[in-house]
Amino acid sequence: TEVLGRYVRAWEQADVSGLVALLSDDATLSMPPMAEWFRGAAAIGASIGAMVLTAEARGKFRLVETRANGLPAFMAYQRDAESGAFRPLALHVLELAGDRISSITAFIDPRLAEKFGLPASL
């Protein structure tokens, strides 16, 4: 869908405002195994903008589409500073409500790439 394509572009271009525009007002973000979670588009944008999608993050991520539990999902790969290869970082599982993302669960576990039959590097 268009929403999923825009999600990929937002991550790959480190576009926090583009990502926030895709979220429902009451969207949630959780990142197992981390305990903290966020509710609301503004809170999610602030946390992702501070932690991950900083100004220097443009081009640092590549997302590969898959499905998890019947939901759209992406394996996020992060560029390795030394080799330049993209290595698995986290599996993003999205829940949609109409044309908005209502939930992002980012499982921070690089081993999930193999379990989903995805490449070990890009």
Side-chain angles (χ1 to χ4, degrees):
T1 70
E2 180 184 343
V3 171
L4 299 179
R6 289 173 57 201
Y7 183 81
V8 170
R9 283 190 299 280
W11 272 92
E12 292 182 353
Q13 296 173 9
D15 180 3
V16 175
S17 60
L19 177 63
V20 169
L22 299 172
L23 302 174
S24 62
D25 291 339
D26 62 347
T28 60
L29 168 65
S30 60
M31 300 167 287
M34 298 170 63
E36 59 262 321
W37 64 278
F38 303 91
R39 178 179 298 278
I44 293 169
S47 67
I48 288 177
M51 293 187 302
V52 184
L53 295 183
T54 58
E56 52 278 347
R58 187 179 184 125
K60 188 177 180 178
F61 295 98
R62 294 286 180 269
L63 273 62
V64 175
E65 190 170 358
T66 188
R67 290 192 70 78
N69 294 332
L71 296 171
F74 298 92
M75 178 54 69
Y77 290 78
Q78 184 175 12
R79 185 175 40 224
D80 180 76
E82 290 182 25
S83 71
F86 288 85
R87 306 274 186 228
L89 177 67
L91 181 73
H92 297 197
V93 181
L94 308 181
E95 291 183 52
L96 303 177
D99 64 348
R100 298 275 186 224
I101 297 170
S102 61
S103 173
I104 303 169
T105 305
F107 295 93
I108 302 172
D109 185 349
R111 299 170 298 175
L112 291 173
E114 182 180 350
K115 292 181 186 216
F116 279 78
L118 298 171
S121 68
L122 302 176

